[in-house]
Amino acid sequence: HPTGDLVLSELATVVQQAARLDDEFIRFGGEEFILLFSAETLPQAIANMNKIRERIERHVFANGLKITVSIGLSFSFDIHTTLAQATAEADEALYQAKRNGRNQVLSYSTAISIEKLSVSIRVEERLLKQVRQLDLPNHPKYHFEVVPLDDQQTTQLQLAILSLDQLAIENFLRLEEWRKQRDSIIDVLVVTEQEDDRLAEALSRGATDYVMVTHVDQEVEEWITEWIMQIP
């Protein structure tokens, strides 16, 4: 931690030396910073950020360390663009730059054009039509596909929606199998008619949450929407 603090402090000095006097440099989190600056064009803005990135890459930090940084860039001609909107766009571009291999500058306009990652929402057959009709929110990183519960395609991130009756018929073995899968994250939403011992068993074995069958349309849509918005 002391070494990390020294690196962050020295990083701030390096950036401020490379930036212009009118630029605003702000610490935005544990290891994230924001630089507010002006540029005539997006290519010019990217070039400016690459100069800073390259300067950091060449710099020798405390204890002989060398580091690299990833930079996400939001660029707008619209004077009504809010700081919150610009920050969200830059943050999305930053994470895309990290996923692309780090040590690079990526603009938001480029980041959103990169193909989204697939996420499967696997649904029991008798609930499939209802879920497919739900109005799900758009996500900047992921594409969501509603498929039958036993569809063979797998994705690293999945949501399964099925009835408590189905889980109980299988003696909850499906939950045990999903919990053992190390190559993917599977959240499980249970649809049930009543709160009973079987539901407690499902939750104890790894089900994420449940909704009552009488409110499938509304509650499932709200639950999935919240689940989607919480995905990092």
Side-chain angles (χ1 to χ4, degrees), residues 87-128:
T87 300
E89 291 181 355
D91 197 49
E92 168 58 27
L94 167 64
Y95 280 104
Q96 187 65 60
K98 289 181 177 181
R99 289 192 292 267
N100 285 359
R102 302 175 183 268
N103 191 26
Q104 58 188 269
V105 177
L106 191 67
S107 70
Y108 177 72
S109 58
T110 301
I112 61 174
S113 67
I114 295 175
E115 184 176 358
K116 295 182 179 182
L117 301 175
S118 294
V119 174
S120 298
I121 300 179
R122 299 165 62 183
V123 186
E124 185 178 324
E125 190 66 36
R126 72 181 186 88
L127 302 171
L128 188 59

Side-chain angles (χ1 to χ4, degrees), residues 18-230:
R20 298 167 302 184
L21 291 177
D22 292 338
D23 296 344
E24 291 282 347
F25 189 57
I26 307 159
R27 188 171 180 181
F28 187 61
E31 299 173 353
E32 293 186 350
F33 296 84
I34 290 177
L35 182 66
L36 301 175
F37 69 101
S38 62
E40 293 294 329
T41 64
L42 176 58
Q44 184 186 85
I46 293 174
N48 291 347
M49 291 301 95
N50 266 315
K51 288 179 182 178
I52 291 178
R53 180 191 61 78
E54 292 166 358
R55 184 161 181 169
I56 293 170
E57 187 177 15
R58 292 193 303 267
H59 187 81
V60 179
F61 284 80
N63 298 335
L65 293 174
K66 298 194 73 175
I67 68 168
T68 62
V69 296
S70 301
I71 300 176
L73 177 65
S74 172
F75 182 83
S76 176
F77 288 105
D78 187 354
I79 62 173
H80 299 294
T81 299
T82 65
L83 181 58
Q85 179 183 345
T87 300
E89 291 181 355
D91 197 49
E92 168 58 27
L94 167 64
Y95 280 104
Q96 187 65 60
K98 289 181 177 181
R99 289 192 292 267
N100 285 359
R102 302 175 183 268
N103 191 26
Q104 58 188 269
V105 177
L106 191 67
S107 70
Y108 177 72
S109 58
T110 301
I112 61 174
S113 67
I114 295 175
E115 184 176 358
K116 295 182 179 182
L117 301 175
S118 294
V119 174
S120 298
I121 300 179
R122 299 165 62 183
V123 186
E124 185 178 324
E125 190 66 36
R126 72 181 186 88
L127 302 171
L128 188 59
K129 183 177 179 180
Q130 289 172 282
V131 175
R132 279 180 168 164
Q133 291 175 342
L134 299 181
D135 185 18
L136 302 182
N138 189 31
H139 194 285
K141 302 178 188 176
Y142 301 102
H143 166 69
F144 299 91
E145 184 176 5
V146 178
V147 299
L149 182 64
D150 293 318
D151 191 283
Q152 295 303 308
Q153 68 176 348
T154 59
T155 55
Q156 189 172 8
L157 178 63
Q158 301 177 55
L159 171 64
I161 303 175
L162 69 168
S163 67
L164 180 59
D165 290 340
Q166 182 65 40
L167 282 173
I169 288 172
E170 300 170 351
N171 198 26
F172 305 100
L173 293 178
R174 195 186 294 260
L175 290 176
E176 296 291 336
E177 293 173 1
W178 285 338
R179 190 164 59 178
K180 292 176 182 178
Q181 292 186 24
R182 303 298 183 187
D183 57 345
S184 60
I185 299 171
I186 304 178
D187 284 320
V188 181
L189 179 63
V190 179
V191 177
T192 181
E193 295 182 356
Q194 58 185 355
E195 299 175 342
D196 54 25
D197 291 343
R198 298 179 307 158
L199 178 59
E201 180 78 6
L203 294 172
S204 69
R205 292 207 184 192
T208 308
D209 203 350
Y210 70 96
V211 297
M212 302 303 291
V213 70
T214 53
H215 301 99
V216 168
D217 289 347
Q218 180 181 352
E219 291 198 14
V220 169
E221 182 171 336
E222 291 176 354
W223 197 96
I224 297 176
T225 297
E226 184 175 348
W227 180 79
I228 288 174
M229 301 312 294
Q230 290 179 351

